Amino acid sequence: MPALSKATIVAQVFEAFSQVEGFQYSVEELNEFLSQSSFKMTSASQKKTSSDRKVSVYNCYLNDNKDTPIDERREDWKNISSDKESELYLKYQKMADDINASKNLPTKEEKKTMKSDKAKSDKIALQKQIEDLKKQVQNQTKSSEVQPEVKSEPESEPEDEEDEVKFKPKFTGKNPDSATNNYKEWKKNQLNIDTSKSLSRVEYEKGKQEDNFNPKEYDDSCPWFNYIQDNMTVD
């Protein structure tokens, strides 16, 4: 199963409370309490801005030929990229190098460290918000002289990288390092398609055009780069 979102966790906690015998509040009323609290709901994913991403040679080629239909651009790019010593390819290579140099982007190791630190801090903050929400609901219950038995979850240390694995869905396919498989799993996540289901041909073809997906252009400028490794478990 995918990592649980705040909305999913809240829904599960509210459902558990509503099943306690003698508990007088409905799920709707609990949601009303939530809206009056400091508990913040954030979107499941936030896209990187262009300033956060490395620009590829292919991106520079596409942007420099915006007036040409995408199918023609892809076909032309096959010819250009087949000779990486050609004057035209080196032109777009220099464009990409100049843009990336001006951005002062972090290295892969720095990005990995920042991602790990953010995941840990987010879990700590989420645990605290859940505990605060439970206390608020319990206080509302006590004020109405209804005191159902509610077992609080024990406090725990922030989970390390190995503990995170149990929250990740399992990748059951082959070639987890391929650009195509990483793109498909990323696209399913964008479309809220369960990881156990396949991306339809229509969705795949439509997505390729919308996202400018090209299996030959696969680096950390692509939002699906290493998606399976970072977000799923692999045997």
Side-chain angles (χ1 to χ4, degrees), residues 30-211:
L30 292 174
N31 279 313
E32 178 63 24
F33 294 148
L34 176 64
S35 67
Q36 300 171 13
S37 73
S38 61
F39 191 86
K40 303 298 182 184
M41 302 287 281
T42 57
S43 59
S45 63
Q46 296 178 338
K47 293 185 177 179
K48 293 182 178 179
T49 63
S50 59
S51 61
D52 297 327
R53 293 192 298 198
K54 182 179 178 182
V55 174
S56 69
V57 182
Y58 181 57
N59 293 145
C60 291
Y61 163 75
L62 290 177
N63 291 334
D64 199 43
N65 296 272
K66 291 181 178 179
D67 294 334
T68 304
I70 186 63
D71 290 340
E72 291 183 25
R73 279 185 282 173
R74 287 173 178 161
E75 191 62 33
D76 289 343
W77 179 247
K78 290 179 183 178
N79 297 326
I80 295 173
S81 61
S82 64
D83 183 3
K84 292 183 170 52
E85 299 300 324
S86 68
E87 181 179 348
L88 198 53
Y89 184 88
L90 293 176
K91 167 189 171 182
Y92 295 117
Q93 177 70 68
K94 185 177 186 307
M95 283 185 186
D97 291 343
D98 289 345
I99 293 173
N100 292 328
S102 68
K103 290 186 175 185
N104 193 27
L105 297 171
T107 64
K108 289 185 179 180
E109 285 302 317
E110 289 173 334
K111 288 194 288 187
K112 184 176 180 181
T113 299
M114 289 189 292
K115 182 177 181 180
S116 175
D117 291 343
K118 184 178 184 303
K120 290 178 181 178
S121 63
D122 285 348
K123 285 187 177 181
I124 293 173
L126 180 57
Q127 284 180 334
K128 184 179 184 304
Q129 287 183 332
I130 291 175
E131 289 302 320
D132 290 344
L133 181 59
K134 286 183 178 180
K135 289 177 182 178
Q136 181 180 357
V137 172
Q138 289 171 337
N139 289 337
Q140 290 285 350
T141 301
K142 289 178 182 178
S143 67
S144 301
E145 298 183 349
V146 177
Q147 301 180 12
E149 181 181 354
V150 179
K151 295 182 180 180
S152 298
E153 295 180 1
E155 295 183 1
S156 60
E157 294 295 325
E159 298 174 352
D160 57 22
E161 291 295 321
E162 293 181 356
D163 291 333
E164 289 185 29
V165 172
K166 64 183 180 181
F167 295 111
K168 297 179 179 180
K170 184 176 181 181
F171 176 70
T172 58
K174 297 180 180 179
N175 301 322
D177 296 325
S178 79
T180 299
N181 286 342
N182 276 274
Y183 171 73
K184 286 183 177 180
E185 293 301 327
W186 173 84
K187 192 63 179 178
K188 286 196 290 184
N189 178 267
Q190 296 294 300
L191 298 174
N192 291 322
I193 298 175
D194 192 274
T195 55
S196 63
K197 300 182 183 297
S198 299
L199 187 68
S200 72
R201 186 68 182 176
V202 172
E203 290 166 332
Y204 174 60
E205 293 298 334
K206 181 181 178 183
K208 284 200 303 182
Q209 291 195 16
E210 292 176 344
D211 304 318

